Amino acid sequence: IVVCSFGYYKDQEKALSDFGEAYKTMSVNYIGAVSLLNLVAAEFQKRKTGSIIAISSVAGIRGRQMNFLYGSAKAGLTTYLSGLRNRLFKDKVSVTTILLGPVYTKMSEGHNLMPYITAKPEVAAEKIVKAGLAHKDEVYILWQWKWIMLIIRLIPEFIFKRLKPF
């Protein structure tokens, strides 16, 4: 079992004006994870067994003005994991995508978090392990996010782009 957890999100405004910050956001959240997972996947494919649990984000489901750079990297990771899951299925390797919302961690310090939809680290960890051991495909750690993101996906773009940041 390999648990892959890459996450970096500091300041979108800085990332929009400083390519170094943008590059760090994209490289940590996508390139770092994919470079490691390609090696793990090749080994598990040879062995014809294994389980990959990778943490992505609900931010990758739809681009929101407040975090679209981070979200785009996580969207890429989610798509990569879907393809990897498809590729490795015949080799009996499971790939679980964790669609994580905000968690009270160092990365979320300074962000305006809503307690109802923010996970405690120990709760998130327990649910991540449980989902991976059950060989789930995609899992929202807090059930609320499944419904929130369904609603957000259903909002037409011409309306969505007019909404205030949330």
Side-chain angles (χ1 to χ4, degrees):
I1 296 173
V2 169
V3 178
C4 179
S5 176
F6 283 73
Y8 176 79
Y9 174 59
K10 189 129 182 151
D11 183 346
Q12 170 139 313
E13 291 307 312
K14 182 178 179 189
L16 293 174
S17 61
D18 174 359
F19 185 71
E21 183 66 20
Y23 182 78
K24 185 173 181 181
T25 299
M26 293 180 290
S27 64
V28 169
N29 292 298
Y30 180 73
I31 297 167
V34 169
S35 62
L36 172 70
L37 290 174
N38 279 343
L39 297 173
V40 171
E43 182 61 29
F44 284 180
Q45 192 170 27
K46 267 193 267 178
R47 294 180 185 190
K48 303 276 190 226
T49 188
S51 182
I52 295 169
I53 306 163
I55 299 173
S56 190
S57 173
V58 297
I61 295 173
R62 183 133 194 212
R64 295 179 11 233
Q65 59 182 292
M66 66 181 284
N67 67 353
F68 65 87
L69 210 106
Y70 169 81
S72 67
K74 290 299 188 174
L77 179 61
T78 297
T79 300
Y80 167 83
L81 294 168
S82 177
L84 190 63
R85 183 169 33 257
N86 184 267
R87 177 183 173 94
L88 297 177
F89 177 76
K90 67 184 179 316
D91 295 310
K92 309 249 187 295
V93 177
S94 71
V95 177
T96 301
T97 303
I98 303 298
L99 295 166
L100 194 59
V103 178
Y104 293 109
T105 64
K106 186 176 179 181
M107 188 172 103
S108 67
E109 284 177 7
H111 295 280
N112 189 17
L113 303 176
M114 293 186 275
Y116 181 69
I117 55 174
T118 304
K120 293 180 179 160
E122 57 277 5
V123 170
E126 184 179 318
K127 290 183 177 188
I128 289 165
V129 170
K130 194 179 283 189
L133 293 175
H135 305 289
K136 302 278 187 183
D137 291 334
E138 285 190 345
V139 176
Y140 290 87
I141 293 305
L142 294 182
W143 65 267
Q144 300 93 316
W145 280 107
K146 182 175 185 175
W147 301 107
I148 291 168
M149 295 317 297
L150 174 65
I151 292 165
I152 288 175
R153 277 193 303 255
L154 291 173
I155 299 170
E157 191 70 21
F158 75 91
I159 294 171
F160 188 75
K161 67 185 180 184
R162 289 173 170 79
L163 297 175
K164 290 182 180 180
F166 55 92

